[in-house]
Each structure stands twice: as structure tokens, then as C-alpha cells.
Amino acid sequence: MPIIEVNALNKIYRDGDVETKVLHNVSFSVERGEFVAIMGPSGSGKSTLLHILGFLDRHTSGKYCFEGKIMDDYSEEELARVRNEKMGFVFQAFNLMPRTTVFDNVRIPLLYSRIPRDKHEDIVHAAIESVALSHRIHHEPSQLSGGEKQRVAIARALVNKPSVIFADEPTGNLDSHSGKMVMEIIQKLNEEDGHTIFLITHETYTAEHAKRIIKLVDGSIESDAEVNHRHNASAQFIK
């Protein structure tokens, strides 16, 4: 059973009498453990698609199934619970709490989970260690580089052991060196840890770190194909 399946998905934003069609009959399925890039230019609908897949927004028509259950059958409370427990998010802007330590930033999703509090410290330490930031655990975001901030965001996405990780332009605010560090971690999460990864990007080079690319143009799928010549981010960038 696919972890994600969408069929004839449409999204329309309405402002009074004005309708803006953002997604048009989008259909695809993703198996557990896949690494898929959603690629397209600005305005192609890729972020809107991510928001729907990540239970941050609802589609207008069509069908979306997550782990075999139709999204329309979830209550708002169930959407929030599944989003917290089974989905991890990494955004271009990091979205870290500014005057909060790395440890406490990474711990935030656990505060809304059903995981016992006496387990939190070990889980947070393991997540931070997995992105090679144990030496920054008591630092605040203002004391970190852009690449380090994104690695904190990845650790935060991992603490609930999600079924799928959504990464929205995760290298967009980073220099090439830091971007390669982040992509190395994301590839490792897929290849070694088995996480299902959705990578949103407008860059062909970044998309080709995935195993499959779905190209969106004007809200429709232009192509859906495996990557023949993948880029592998070098482990030398993790320090």
C-alpha cells in the first residue's frame, strides 16, 4: 500500500468572485521509503501541493490518501495529531524559536506528542547527534550559521520518528557548502534510515539528489520519472 496516493487532485483559491486554480488533476502515488523531488518554477503549485500532502491545507476536489486513509475522513484534531506524529517538516526559513537553545528547539514537537516526558532527553540528544551538532546543543539560533540552523530544523523533524519528511527548499537560504551538508544528511535519512522524503525545489541540481522527480508546470504534472544520474552529496561536508 502506498504511503501517499493522490488522484485527480485540484486546488482552487477563492477571493470573492475571483478563482485562482493552483493544482489541476494531479495524480501520483509514493511507496514507503521513496525519495521524491517535486520540482517546478515559482508559481507552479509545488508548495501548495506540499501543504496539502502535509495536512497544512485541504484540497478542493479529488482524493488524497495518507497511509491508506482518505484525508476527507480526518477531523481537524486528527489532522493535527497525524501531522505532529507522522510528518516532519524542514522549511527554507528554518522556523526556529530565536531565544531558545538547540536542545529546546528540537524538543518542541515532543511537547505535543504522546511520548513520555522522561524519554524526551534521550530522543533529543540522539536527533541532534544524527546531524552532527552535539557541540552546539546549548547554543541559540543567533549563534549558529545558516547550515547549522537547517541541521537543527532537520533534527527537530526527526524527533517523533515520522513516516515522511517534507523538505521545502531546504538549501534555498544556504551557500553551496552548507547546502551540500544538508543534502548529505537528507540522503542519509532516506538511504540508511529508510525515511520517505519529499523534497520541494526549483533547482534541477538539487532535485537530482532524489531518486525520482515529479515536475510541475502551471499546477499540472509535466513528467514523473526516475533520476538516471543521481547526485550524491559527499560525507566530507559533515564536520
Side-chain angles (χ1 to χ4, degrees):
M1 178 180 68
I3 188 170
I4 282 176
E5 186 173 10
V6 298
N7 185 29
L9 203 70
N10 293 280
K11 179 63 178 179
I12 299 172
Y13 289 107
R14 293 185 173 91
D15 183 6
D17 295 331
V18 178
E19 290 190 349
T20 303
K21 296 181 179 180
V22 183
L23 295 176
H24 311 275
N25 294 316
V26 172
S27 299
F28 63 87
S29 63
V30 175
E31 299 296 328
R32 193 175 297 272
E34 280 200 75
F35 184 174
V36 180
I38 307 293
M39 193 183 83
S42 178
S44 61
K46 57 188 186 297
S47 290
T48 297
L49 177 59
L50 178 142
H51 288 163
I52 293 170
L53 297 179
F55 286 6
L56 298 167
D57 195 4
R58 288 186 181 268
H59 52 286
T60 304
S61 63
K63 185 173 74 171
Y64 170 30
C65 291
F66 180 76
E67 294 188 333
K69 185 172 179 178
I70 298 173
M71 184 183 187
D72 291 338
D73 291 342
Y74 287 91
S75 67
E76 291 300 325
E77 292 76 14
E78 287 174 324
L79 289 176
R81 178 181 57 77
V82 172
R83 186 168 59 240
N84 183 63
E85 295 180 357
K86 296 191 174 186
M87 299 175 177
F89 297 89
V90 181
F91 295 104
Q92 179 177 351
F94 317 130
N95 292 356
L96 301 179
M97 300 293 288
R99 289 178 292 278
T100 306
T101 65
V102 167
F103 179 93
D104 287 330
N105 264 288
V106 173
R107 187 186 181 190
I108 288 171
L110 294 176
L111 300 176
Y112 303 95
S113 74
R114 293 180 285 190
I115 297 172
R117 288 191 175 242
D118 62 358
K119 306 282 189 186
H120 288 191
E121 185 169 351
D122 288 343
I123 294 171
V124 173
H125 277 284
I128 293 171
E129 184 177 350
S130 74
V131 297
L133 279 180
S134 295
H135 62 298
R136 295 282 195 260
I137 196 165
H138 300 300
H139 287 60
E140 295 182 0
S142 62
Q143 299 170 299
L144 305 177
S145 69
E148 288 172 335
K149 291 176 184 176
Q150 196 58 290
R151 286 151 66 186
V152 173
I154 292 171
R156 182 182 57 195
L158 293 176
V159 290
N160 279 337
K161 301 188 184 321
S163 300
V164 59
I165 294 174
F166 297 102
D168 190 0
E169 301 278 7
T171 63
N173 282 338
L174 306 180
D175 59 39
S176 59
H177 176 83
S178 298
K180 288 175 182 176
M181 294 171 69
V182 166
M183 291 311 304
E184 197 276 339
I185 293 172
I186 291 174
Q187 284 187 324
K188 177 177 179 291
L189 292 175
N190 174 250
E191 294 171 4
E192 297 183 19
D193 300 335
H195 286 285
T196 305
I197 307 288
F198 266 89
L199 172 68
I200 305 296
T201 183
H202 64 279
E203 298 174 337
T204 300
Y205 177 82
T206 302
E208 288 175 347
H209 286 80
K211 297 176 182 176
R212 172 184 170 193
I213 298 176
I214 298 173
K215 291 184 179 179
L216 284 181
V217 175
D218 295 331
S220 299
I221 293 179
E222 181 183 68
S223 62
D224 181 351
E226 293 185 2
V227 178
N228 293 322
H229 303 288
R230 286 186 74 202
H231 296 302
N232 286 302
S234 173
Q236 70 177 326
F237 291 100
I238 298 296
K239 302 296 183 185

